[in-house]
Structures are given as C-alpha cells and as structure tokens.
Amino acid sequence: MTQSKMFLLLAIAVMVMVFFSFDLHQYLTLESLKSQQAAVESYRSQFPVKAVLIYFLMYITVTGLSLPGATVLTLAGGAVFGLFWGTVIVSFASTLGATLAFLAARFLFRDWIKVRFGARLEAINEGIKRDGPFYLFTLRLVPLFPFFMINLAMGLTALKARTFYWVSQAGMLAGTLVYVNAGTQLAAIDSLGIILSPGLIGSFILLGLFPLLAKKIIDTVTERKLYEGWQKPERFDNNLIVIGAGSGGLVTAYIAAAVNAKVTLIEKHTMGGDCLNTGCVPSKTLIRSAKWLAHLRRAQEFGFNQVTAEFDFANIMDRVHAIINTIAPHDSIERYQALGVDVIQGEAKIITPWEVQVKTTDGIQTLTTRSIVIAAGARPLLPPIPGMELIEPLTSDTIWNLRELPGRLLVLGGGPIGCELAQCFARFGSTVIQIEQLPRLMIREDADVSEAVMTRFKQEGIDVRVEHTAVAFMIENGEKLLIAEFKGETVRIAFDQVLIALGRSANIKGYGVDELGIALSPRQTIATNPFQETTFPNIYAVGDVTGPYQFTHFAAHQAWYAAVNALFGQFKKFRTDYSVIPWSTFTDPEVARVGINEQEASQQGIAYEVVTYGIDDLDRAIADGEAHGFVKVLTRPGKDHILGVTIVGEHAGDLIAEFVLAMKHGIGLNKILGTIHIYPTLSEANKYVAGVWKRAHAPKTLLRWVARYHAWRRGPASLQD
Ligand SMILES: Cc1cc2nc3c(=O)[nH]c(=O)nc-3n(C[C@H](O)[C@H](O)[C@H](O)COP(=O)(O)OP(=O)(O)OC[C@H]3O[C@@H](n4cnc5c(N)ncnc54)[C@H](O)[C@@H]3O)c2cc1C
C-alpha cells in the first residue's frame, strides 16, 4: 500500500474512532434531534449562512465516512430549513458525501481488487459499463438498500465518478424529499420506522423498477427502429438458418436439429469448412508424416544402426487427402440430413433479417426464418506487399495442392500456422526460412516458450529470422526475392516458394452484412454481444467470422450459445463463457495453454505465483527419448487456485486437458496432487508440478516442530541433533 493510501486509511480510521469513542452518535438520534430542535432553529435564525454551512459539512462528513445518522440528519434538514431548502441542501450534501465515499473506496481498494480478481472483475466492469447507471439508479430509488454499501461497492467498479454523481443525485431525490418532508413534521414522528409505511415502501419499489422498465421500453423501441423498413413474414419456413458448414455452422445445426427445430444449413463450398479441408485435419496429418520422418532420422538414438526413408512428396500429400476423405463423412450432407438438418449446397445471402436468398445450381430461392446464425469463417490474410502478384504465394488454402516439395520455402509469419508448416516442410527436406516481424516466434506465449520452440527450429535447420519486416517481393534474373528490413538494414532473401501465414481475416463481404448494416468490430470481424447476437438480435455469429479466438473447439463452443439463444432466448439467454479457453500449437515441441500466462498476468496487473516442472526429469519422457519441455502453472498468491497453465513438450495438447477440467470446475493443485496418475505416463508431469507447488508452500514452522517431535521420539540425545 502506498504512503498516500496509508495516510488516508489512517485518517478515516481516526475519524471513525473519534465518532464512536466520544459517542457522537447520540447527537444523531431522533430523541436528541427533537430535544435540540428549538435551539438549532434559534441558531439558524441568528446565523442562517453559518447554519447551512455547518449542516452541509456535517452531512458530507457523516455520509463520506459512512457513519450512521444520515437519516436523522435528513429529517433535521426538513425541520430546520423547510421542505424546499432542506431538499436542495440534503440533495447536494448527500450526493457529495456519497461520491467522497465512492472515491475513497476506489482510491484505497480498487487496485487491490483488480490484482486479485483481474479477469472476473473485467466481466463485472463490462456489465457496469453497459447497465451500471440503470442499476445504480434503481438502487438509489429504493431507500431500503443501505446507501453506504452502494457507495463503497460502486467505488470498486469501473463506473465513472461523474456518472456516479449525477445518477446518485437524481436517484436519491425521491427518498430525500420523503424524509425532508417528514422532518418538517418532526413533532409528529415518534420513530424512524413510521416514516416508511408499507405503502410508501411499495411505492419506492415500484419507483425502483421504473428505470429497468424504462430500459426495457427503450430497448424495445430501439429494436423496433432497427427492424423498421423490413416486412416481417407472417410465418417462417425455418426456426433457424445457418450460413456456413464449418465447425461453427455444423455444431449450430446439430444442436438445432437435436431439439427438433426446423433448421437449414447452407454451404457454398465444401462441407466441413476450413478445419476439415484446409486447416486442422490436413495440417495435423502432414505433421504426423513429418514427425515420423524426424523420428527415423533419430534412429541411432533408439538403437538402430541405420534407417532411411525414401519418399515421394506427392504420396505424402495423397495421404493428407485420403485422411480428409476418411473424416469427411462426419461432416457430410448425408450425415446432417440423417440428423434432421436441411442441407443446401449453395451461396447464401441475407436479404432481410428474416430472409435468406440461396443461389444453387438449380437457381435462386428465398427462405424465411426466425433466426439466422452466421458461421462464414475466415480466410488467409494477404497484406498488400508490393510485388505479391509476381510470386504466386501459397496460403493455408492452397498449400495442400502441392505435389512437389518446395526447394527453398520462405514462410512469412511466426504464428501457429506459420510455425506448424515451417517445421513440417523443413522435416521433409525443404530449406525453410521463417520471417517474423516481432522479436520472437509465437509472440502470444511467454518468452521461455518461444525460446524452446525457436531453439528446436534452429536445431532442425530452420533459418528463423525475427525482427524482419517484409517490404516487397521482386524477381531478379529469374530468382524470387523478398526484400525485408532488419534493424534499419535492407535484407534480400532468395526463395522458390513462399507461404503467407500472416493471420486470417473474417469473411464479411458478399452475403448481406454490409447491406443490412450489421456492425463490425475494430478487428473487422462481425461484432457480437455476449449472447452471440449481432446488431440484429435474431442474427447471430459464431466462429472465425466473429472471434476473438480462431479455433475449431471455440467455434463449436460459441455455436452452443448461438443455437440455444436463437431457439430459446425468449425464455432465457445464456452468455458465452470465455473463462476457460484452451488451445494448442502442434509444433514439436507442442505448446498448449489454458488461462493466462506470465506476460498476460503482468499486462493485466494480476498478482500470481509461478511453479514449473521440467519434463526432462520425467521417467516416461526419458524412456520415450522426449525428455524436454516443461509444465508451468500460474496460481493466485498463497493459494492453489489455478490462473493459467502452459505446457511445452510431447503431447502437450493432450496433457493440458487435466488443467482445463480443473480450471473449469475450480479444482486446485492440491486436488491434482492427491489424484493417482498412472506410472509411467507423461500425465505424471501434471501431478509433479502440483508437487512443486506443495513443497514451495509447505508449512515450514510446523515442519520444524514435527522434526523436533520425531527427534524426541528417537530419544533424549536426538534432541541435541
Ligand atoms: C492451417 C490451419 C490449421 C489449423 N489448425 C487448427 C487446430 O489444430 N486446432 C483448431 O482448433 N483450429 C485450427 N485451425 C482453425 C480452424 O480451422 C478454424 O478456427 C475453424 O475452422 C473455424 O470454423 P468456422 O466454422 O468459424 O469457419 P470455417 O470452417 O471457415 O467455415 C465457414 C464456412 O462458411 C462457408 N461460407 C462462407 N460464406 C458463405 C455463404 N455466403 N454461403 C454459404 N456458405 C458460406 C465457407 O465456404 C466455409 O465452409 C486451423 C486453421 C488453419 C488455416
């Protein structure tokens, strides 16, 4: 705690102590007010300005320090200054006092709360930003809620002080008026309880509901305006139309069909989308062949004299396509039709919020629907680098059509896709040069993770060039060149083929998003609220087209929320749960993560402790010849509560599952340590990292006493050991 905070806390503590030690509260009771009323009134008639000032400061002090007595002071305001002036003075004094309490709570405790509850607080603050003023107004209107608690609690949120002030002043006015008015009739009041009759409390509650009702009305009017200009069909062909049959669209349609909704799934290209055809499946298949080859190269390490592999790259690619074909039935039209989904092979375009036009080989048809889910995916980003048109770049869409291994492959991009494919092609025998603009590969991960991957890449002969910015492509004497900038110098890099892996941009054009005015996020994805709703509450978006993560399992996760909200949102809507999102990059070593890492914890100001277990020490990893990598766990200081885990090593993507489950269900490291893990498996690493945590948090003093106890049990001489 800083000095200024200590000082303020001390000052507040002293003032509160003085108030209670000198029993000042006795002057803020109804009896005392009544007995002093005549004296106070005579003082006010002699010194009117002074009386107002003293009263004003007293009121601010009591409310600012959250001391009891504000109700009696309000009555006094009415009794001494009358209904009009009493209301004006109390209204300002109470709001200023409340704002002081709000600011003090914010100054003293906000940082501490932020550090402790970082991510969870963000979600609350999002809600406060959206609806905070309404909730505050409601709470203020109903004088049953203790005002001092509202002041302190709101101070811990991100609500703006200015907003707090004016909402409080407006919200408290009705209550102030009632109490000040009662104060003008002080003689008739025997107890504070009679001021608030059950009828009056009921009126206040109704008044409290008013802002919520007003919000509902505003929302309804805004929604009406949004849909103005479109004719809503009287009946609908579908409950749901899903655009795109990739991971997001397939799961949405599956869920809708499972609950017997009438759902149409429209796909313009290939069922299964990116993941099956150009993403996860082909890349993991290719990685498998490349890894197999890498193992052969290590034959002597495993006791073989010599093992060589002869291969034709075209056959490797044939295997990739064969695997796609084997998995394709999982995502096929036949399967989904059997599940009860109407599947249309065609291009969809939203023409009104309830109508989708589909262009098929048979012509154009228009379907009506209550709701629409956009799952149109993303495509490789091709930034406008001069000379791009000269070099026929490969992307993750086209690389699967290669039949010959590139001689010199330039990979632009050090993210997951660039890294996975760079290592694959290097293992097959391409000379791979990987360019990254930032200081390291996989920049979202911690520096030690990038280091582990980069070290392996270099060992495997990949020419990793970080801090290189691509400036232009050119062809010189028939040779393709990248002109890049490295620390102010111009670098020329020759290559035969280039893979552009610089990110993926959402598919937002050509199917009605612009025409309807569906809003985009700053990342140029379709903007959605926590319910997956777009600008139009009956049009939802999931997967790569909206983000923020671009993974198959994430698209599927959002799909559940979109489907359920679209079909049952009139009863209950569910907010998408982003609290535990895992992912893995399938390089060798694999990198898997769930929750935050060290760099994110530092950026977000979240306090953490870190424990690491080196997999180089794990029996099974040693036996497998894969003794490398680590499990790193971030925990809340002093607690076994897991904030995030990164695993680098063999099968990291599988190993992380235990931590995903633990985080999702609030299971801490103690429980992981107390769980039997099969020997010898890689999963023991998860238990061992929990052991590292336990040792670091062993109760040292208690253990010293336990040592003494054991010594005593061994006999008198042992105590002197
Ligand atoms: C090389 C690579 C490797 C990857 N590896 C992994 C991995 O290991 N693990 C992982 O989780 N993720 C991985 N991903 C990411 C994953 O593939 C995507 O996150 C996932 O496919 C997104 O699913 P989606 O449903 O949002 O979009 P998509 O799968 O792209 O599906 C969108 C579909 O919509 C269709 N469509 C678009 N517009 C229209 C229209 N107007 N009418 C009709 N149909 C339309 C498209 O044709 C497409 O089929 C990888 C991606 C790549 C490129």
Side-chain angles (χ1 to χ4, degrees):
M1 194 174 253
T2 60
Q3 249 184 348
S4 48
K5 282 185 188 170
M6 291 279 270
F7 181 75
L8 180 65
L9 199 60
L10 203 72
I12 292 174
V14 168
M15 286 191 271
V16 172
M17 265 166 55
V18 167
F19 181 83
F20 286 108
S21 319
F22 290 91
D23 204 12
L24 298 180
H25 187 216
Q26 60 173 305
Y27 301 111
L28 295 175
T29 59
L30 191 59
E31 297 69 41
S32 161
L33 175 61
K34 280 183 161 186
S35 65
Q36 298 296 321
Q37 188 180 3
V40 174
E41 268 185 17
S42 111
Y43 183 83
R44 184 200 56 94
S45 56
Q46 278 179 54
F47 311 103
V49 178
K50 246 193 202 171
V52 170
L53 265 177
I54 292 171
Y55 175 80
F56 198 72
L57 287 177
M58 211 154 95
Y59 204 113
I60 290 179
T61 311
V62 166
T63 46
L65 291 173
S66 306
L67 297 170
T71 310
V72 171
L73 269 178
T74 310
L75 291 175
V80 179
F81 302 109
L83 180 62
F84 178 75
W85 284 113
T87 305
V88 171
I89 296 165
V90 171
S91 174
F92 280 95
S94 59
T95 312
L96 281 172
T99 308
L100 280 180
F102 165 93
L103 289 174
R106 172 162 293 183
F107 179 65
L108 290 172
F109 303 115
R110 177 96 186 279
D111 287 346
W112 180 78
I113 293 273
K114 221 167 126 187
V115 165
R116 274 193 83 74
F117 301 105
R120 258 184 290 166
L121 193 68
E122 239 166 60
I124 293 173
N125 282 338
E126 269 302 306
I128 287 285
K129 222 191 299 171
R130 220 177 28 248
D131 298 322
F134 278 103
Y135 293 138
L136 177 61
F137 196 52
T138 300
L139 292 171
R140 289 300 195 202
L141 278 174
V142 187
L144 294 179
F145 298 112
F147 279 6
F148 77 94
M149 272 172 63
I150 300 172
N151 303 337
L152 301 180
M154 284 289 169
L156 303 178
T157 71
L159 188 74
K160 284 197 179 115
R162 207 175 339 127
T163 311
F164 177 84
Y165 180 90
W166 72 257
V167 173
S168 296
Q169 183 142 32
M172 289 193 293
L173 205 56
T176 302
L177 205 63
V178 168
Y179 278 93
V180 173
N181 186 43
T184 61
Q185 318 291 319
L186 197 60
I189 299 174
D190 294 327
S191 83
L192 291 177
I194 68 160
I195 301 171
L196 285 186
S197 65
L200 200 56
I201 291 176
S203 312
F204 274 130
I205 290 173
L206 281 180
L207 210 57
L209 291 177
F210 175 73
L212 297 180
L213 205 69
K215 184 176 184 307
K216 191 90 198 133
I217 292 167
I218 291 169
D219 286 351
T220 312
V221 171
T222 317
E223 205 175 301
R224 281 247 168 97
K225 249 186 134 45
L226 192 69
Y227 287 102
E228 231 171 46
W230 280 292
Q231 186 68 38
K232 188 174 180 178
E234 297 216 325
R235 62 169 303 283
F236 303 93
D237 307 326
N238 291 274
N239 298 100
L240 194 62
I241 287 183
V242 183
I243 299 177
S247 319
L250 286 169
V251 176
T252 309
Y254 183 106
I255 294 166
V259 293
N260 292 336
K262 177 107 173 54
V263 52
T264 299
L265 174 65
I266 306 166
E267 171 54 56
K268 70 171 175 184
H269 191 44
T270 323
M271 292 293 286
D274 256 359
C275 184
L276 173 64
N277 301 291
T278 56
C280 334
V281 172
S283 61
K284 267 75 256 180
T285 307
L286 195 69
I287 285 170
R288 181 67 180 146
S289 294
K291 190 163 185 172
W292 206 81
L293 196 58
H295 273 286
L296 284 192
R297 296 211 177 94
R298 294 169 57 196
Q300 288 181 354
E301 199 186 305
F302 291 91
F304 301 92
N305 294 340
Q306 177 117 31
V307 181
T308 53
E310 278 179 20
F311 70 96
D312 185 344
F313 184 69
N315 292 340
I316 305 274
M317 293 311 258
D318 283 347
R319 176 174 181 269
V320 169
H321 292 286
I323 298 288
I324 294 174
N325 291 337
T326 308
I327 296 178
H330 301 173
D331 299 349
S332 65
I333 294 180
E334 295 71 29
R335 177 172 180 231
Y336 275 79
Q337 275 174 340
L339 287 168
V341 178
D342 288 339
V343 184
I344 301 180
Q345 195 78 70
E347 185 166 357
K349 182 170 182 182
I350 307 170
I351 50 174
T352 79
W354 306 278
E355 287 173 303
V356 177
Q357 198 178 68
V358 195
K359 203 197 278 179
T360 65
T361 44
D362 297 333
I364 294 178
Q365 56 174 311
T366 301
L367 301 172
T368 55
T369 179
R370 267 208 175 270
S371 302
I372 298 169
V373 173
I374 301 172
R379 62 187 185 288
L381 178 74
L382 284 177
I385 302 172
M388 185 86 92
E389 68 289 352
L390 302 172
I391 44 117
E392 293 175 46
L394 295 165
T395 65
S396 60
D397 276 356
T398 58
I399 199 160
W400 316 110
N401 302 328
L402 280 180
R403 303 297 296 165
E404 279 177 32
L405 189 67
R408 291 171 299 175
L409 178 68
L410 176 69
V411 177
L412 238 61
I417 295 176
C419 286
E420 286 184 2
L421 292 176
Q423 190 175 36
C424 265
F425 280 88
R427 286 179 160 188
F428 287 126
S430 293
T431 302
V432 176
I433 310 146
Q434 192 178 8
I435 302 291
E436 168 57 56
Q437 191 173 4
L438 297 167
R440 53 191 173 85
L441 301 181
M442 292 196 198
I443 199 75
R444 285 178 69 182
E445 305 302 337
D446 281 342
D448 50 357
V449 176
S450 299
E451 191 53 45
V453 173
M454 283 164 69
T455 304
R456 174 67 77 87
F457 274 25
K458 286 174 192 164
Q459 282 166 359
E460 294 191 6
I462 300 172
D463 182 358
V464 179
R465 309 232 190 143
V466 292
E467 295 181 78
H468 278 62
T469 307
V471 177
F473 290 108
M474 58 191 293
I475 297 185
E476 210 172 73
N477 303 325
E479 184 161 67
K480 292 174 187 163
L481 289 175
L482 170 74
I483 309 301
E485 200 183 284
F486 172 62
K487 297 188 173 166
E489 306 261 306
T490 298
V491 183
R492 294 156 67 90
I493 301 166
F495 63 90
D496 298 317
Q497 280 183 288
V498 59
L499 167 69
I500 309 281
L502 294 171
R504 297 172 57 71
S505 48
N507 292 324
I508 48 173
K509 297 271 176 224
Y511 60 94
V513 171
D514 278 348
E515 292 85 338
L516 260 80
I518 294 174
L520 300 179
S521 73
R523 292 175 287 116
Q524 293 299 295
T525 59
I526 292 182
T528 46
N529 66 11
F531 307 108
Q532 300 304 135
E533 293 168 354
T534 65
T535 310
F536 293 90
N538 74 319
I539 303 182
Y540 299 76
V542 301
D544 285 6
V545 79
T546 178
Y549 300 97
Q550 293 185 328
F551 303 116
T552 287
H553 48 276
F554 184 69
H557 180 67
Q558 286 181 326
W560 184 89
Y561 290 92
V564 172
N565 288 337
L567 295 170
F568 302 108
Q570 63 277 27
F571 304 117
K572 168 140 182 72
K573 284 192 206 171
F574 294 87
R575 283 169 191 272
T576 311
D577 177 6
Y578 290 130
S579 58
V580 184
I581 308 289
W583 64 86
S584 182
T585 304
F586 297 88
T587 43
D588 189 359
E590 245 170 62
V591 174
R593 176 133 78 88
V594 58
I596 52 169
N597 61 7
E598 288 194 81
Q599 66 186 11
E600 287 169 355
S602 306
Q603 280 157 11
Q604 294 168 25
I606 298 171
Y608 68 94
E609 282 175 5
V610 60
V611 283
T612 305
Y613 171 76
I615 298 177
D616 52 339
D617 204 34
L618 187 68
D619 292 2
R620 179 56 187 267
I622 296 168
D624 283 354
E626 299 292 351
H628 56 83
F630 53 84
V631 183
K632 179 159 69 164
V633 182
L634 270 64
T635 50
R636 231 177 255 306
K639 303 256 163 34
D640 72 338
H641 178 98
I642 304 166
L643 295 171
V645 180
T646 304
I647 305 183
V648 178
E650 191 74 354
H651 297 302
D654 295 300
L655 293 182
I656 200 98
E658 185 169 7
F659 291 110
V660 178
L661 187 77
M663 285 185 73
K664 176 80 188 165
H665 298 286
I667 296 168
L669 289 179
N670 274 315
K671 291 223 165 96
I672 290 182
L673 184 63
T675 304
I676 299 175
H677 290 66
I678 295 171
Y679 179 85
T681 57
L682 294 178
S683 72
E684 281 185 299
N686 295 349
K687 183 181 166 114
Y688 291 152
V689 79
V692 176
W693 180 87
K694 190 74 182 173
R695 272 196 300 283
H697 292 83
K700 294 195 177 65
T701 316
L702 179 67
L703 286 177
R704 265 200 304 275
W705 280 102
V706 173
R708 283 176 167 232
Y709 165 75
H710 289 311
W712 169 74
R713 294 267 292 160
R714 289 196 299 274
S718 310
L719 273 172
Q720 278 129 41
D721 289 352

